[in-house]
Amino acid sequence: MILFKKIKDLRTKLNQLRNEQKSIALIPTMGALHNGHISLIDSARKRNDITVTSIFVNPTQFNDINDFEKYPITIENDIFLLEKANNSILFLPSVQEMYPEGTEKPTEHYQLGNLENILEGFYRPGHFQGVCRVVHKLLNIVNPDDLYMGQKDYQQCMVIKKLIEDFQIPAKLHIVPTQREASGLAMSSRNLRLSEVARKNATAISKALEFIKNNIANQPMEELKATAQKIITDAGFQKIDYVEICNADNLLPAQDFNNQKLVALAAAFIDDVRLIDNMLLN
Ligand code: AMP
C-alpha cells in the first residue's frame, strides 16, 4: 500500500495508473476502520484494479463540536487493516490540504431538495452540505471510475447520488449492504465510544427495525413505529431523534404499504453517542 498526504503526489500517481489503463475505485472514510469499511474495499477489489481509500475526519460535516472532538482515531490499526485488505492507496490529507480556502465559508451551496430537511438533514443541520463539500473534493482529486459507499448511511448515499447526477461526475456509485456484529448491531466507528453494557443494549435499534420489517404487512405503521420506539427506549437509549418508515426511493414518510419499496430508519442516543441504522422492508 502507498500512503499519500498531498493531493499533488496522489494525482501524479493516479495519472500514471490511468495511463496504464487501471480502473480506479474511491472509498471515502473517516477512519476508525471496521469490517463495514473493509466490505467496501472488498467490493471494490472485485471490480477495480486500484482502491484508493481516504481517511479524513471532515470537520465541515459535524454539526456537533463534541462529536467531532470525540471522533475515534485509530490510524495505526487502520493501516494494519488496510494492508490486510490489500488496499492499494491510502489518502490521508490534513485539514489544510483539503480546505486551503478554510473550513468556514462554503464555496458552494448544494441543492439537495427535501433530503436536506428530513431525517438526518433535519437533526444535523448543515451535515449534508459538509458531506457534499468533502466528497465533491475527493471525487475531483481522485477522479475514480467507481465510488463505494455503505447502505448504513442510507440518506448519505441518496445525497451523493444526487451530487453525482447534478454535477455530471463520471463515477458510478455502488452501495454496499450494512455489515453487522453477530448481535445485529450495525458496525460503526462510534461503537468504539460505547461502554460494554451500552454496546449490548445498542442492539435494540436493529431489533426495533427488524420488528418493523417482520410486521410491516399486518400492523398499521403508526403502531409499528410506536412499538419500535418502545423497544429502543426500554433498552436504555436516552433520546430518539426518529424512527421512520419511508419510501425507499425518495425518503418521504410512508402512510401505508401501498406497494412501495420501503425503508425503516432510526437515529437515537445511548451513552451520549448518536447511532443510526436502517433496514429495507420489502
Ligand atoms: P465513515 O467512516 O463512518 O464515514 O464511513 C465510511 C463509509 O463506510 C461510508 O460509505 C459508510 O456508509 C460506510 N460504512 C460505515 N459503516 C458501515 C457498515 N456497518 N456497513 C457497510 N458500510 C459501512
Side-chain angles (χ1 to χ4, degrees):
M1 184 169 77
I2 318 177
L3 163 66
F4 291 96
K5 292 190 169 183
K6 298 289 176 200
I7 294 168
K8 192 167 157 282
D9 299 339
L10 173 63
R11 278 211 167 111
T12 305
K13 180 68 189 174
L14 290 174
N15 283 339
Q16 176 208 323
L17 290 165
R18 230 173 263 115
N19 286 339
E20 295 167 11
Q21 311 300 322
K22 305 281 191 209
S23 79
I24 295 167
L26 170 63
I27 302 115
T29 83
M30 298 203 297
L33 300 182
H34 49 68
N35 277 338
H37 298 111
I38 300 304
S39 73
L40 304 186
I41 297 170
D42 290 344
S43 297
R45 286 244 67 104
K46 289 191 191 123
R47 189 185 172 98
N48 300 100
D49 302 310
I50 302 296
T51 55
V52 180
T53 301
S54 60
I55 295 184
F56 180 64
V57 184
N58 173 34
T60 65
Q61 74 184 68
F62 285 83
N63 54 313
D64 174 358
I65 179 79
N66 194 37
D67 189 29
F68 176 60
E69 282 171 353
K70 289 196 176 153
Y71 202 84
I73 293 175
T74 60
I75 191 65
E76 279 178 23
N77 192 52
D78 291 352
I79 291 174
F80 172 77
L81 292 177
L82 289 172
E83 295 263 18
K84 206 168 90 180
N86 211 8
N87 179 63
S88 326
I89 291 177
L90 167 58
F91 180 44
L92 188 67
S94 64
V95 173
Q96 170 62 27
E97 187 72 6
M98 287 302 282
Y99 292 106
E101 78 278 27
T103 52
E104 286 309 316
K105 356 180 232 324
T107 36
E108 179 105 46
H109 182 86
Y110 294 91
Q111 301 297 335
L112 302 175
N114 206 27
L115 286 174
E116 181 141 30
N117 311 316
I118 55 173
L119 305 170
E120 291 301 286
F122 179 81
Y123 286 97
R124 301 186 68 186
H127 168 64
F128 286 129
Q129 289 298 322
V131 169
C132 283
R133 202 170 159 191
V134 78
V135 174
H136 199 177
K137 280 173 182 276
L138 288 168
L139 285 166
N140 259 328
I141 294 164
V142 175
N143 190 14
D145 300 283
D146 297 274
L147 170 68
Y148 294 82
M149 304 195 95
Q151 190 204 312
K152 158 89 182 350
D153 298 275
Y154 194 93
Q155 194 173 359
Q156 171 170 279
C157 289
M158 294 185 67
V159 164
I160 297 305
K161 183 166 167 270
K162 184 158 173 32
L163 173 82
I164 287 177
E165 283 167 6
D166 289 358
F167 286 84
Q168 296 166 308
I169 295 167
K172 185 170 176 355
L173 173 64
H174 302 266
I175 299 172
V176 179
T178 304
Q179 301 298 304
R180 299 179 179 281
E181 308 284 356
S183 64
L185 177 66
M187 291 181 184
S188 164
S189 305
R190 289 187 176 85
N191 293 349
L192 287 175
R193 290 177 48 204
L194 299 176
S195 69
E196 210 174 304
V197 174
R199 204 180 168 108
K200 253 193 209 139
N201 293 338
T203 59
I205 293 200
S206 63
K207 289 201 179 103
L209 296 175
E210 196 78 51
F211 172 82
I212 293 177
K213 186 174 175 171
N214 292 336
N215 295 283
I216 187 77
N218 42 37
Q219 274 186 41
M221 298 217 174
E222 288 311 316
E223 249 173 58
L224 286 173
K225 286 192 276 183
T227 310
Q229 296 212 5
K230 185 165 178 338
I231 293 171
I232 293 170
T233 313
D234 286 354
F237 276 80
Q238 293 106 25
K239 188 165 119 182
I240 296 178
D241 274 353
Y242 58 84
V243 175
E244 230 1 298
I245 302 172
C246 298
N247 178 300
D249 295 321
N250 55 25
L251 283 188
L252 292 176
Q255 309 302 339
D256 47 43
F257 205 164
N258 215 359
N259 270 341
Q260 318 174 59
K261 207 174 126 203
L262 296 174
V263 59
L265 310 103
F269 288 85
I270 189 162
D271 262 13
D272 279 334
V273 180
R274 188 173 183 279
L275 300 179
I276 60 169
D277 198 354
N278 68 82
M279 235 171 249
L280 288 166
L281 301 182
N282 48 353

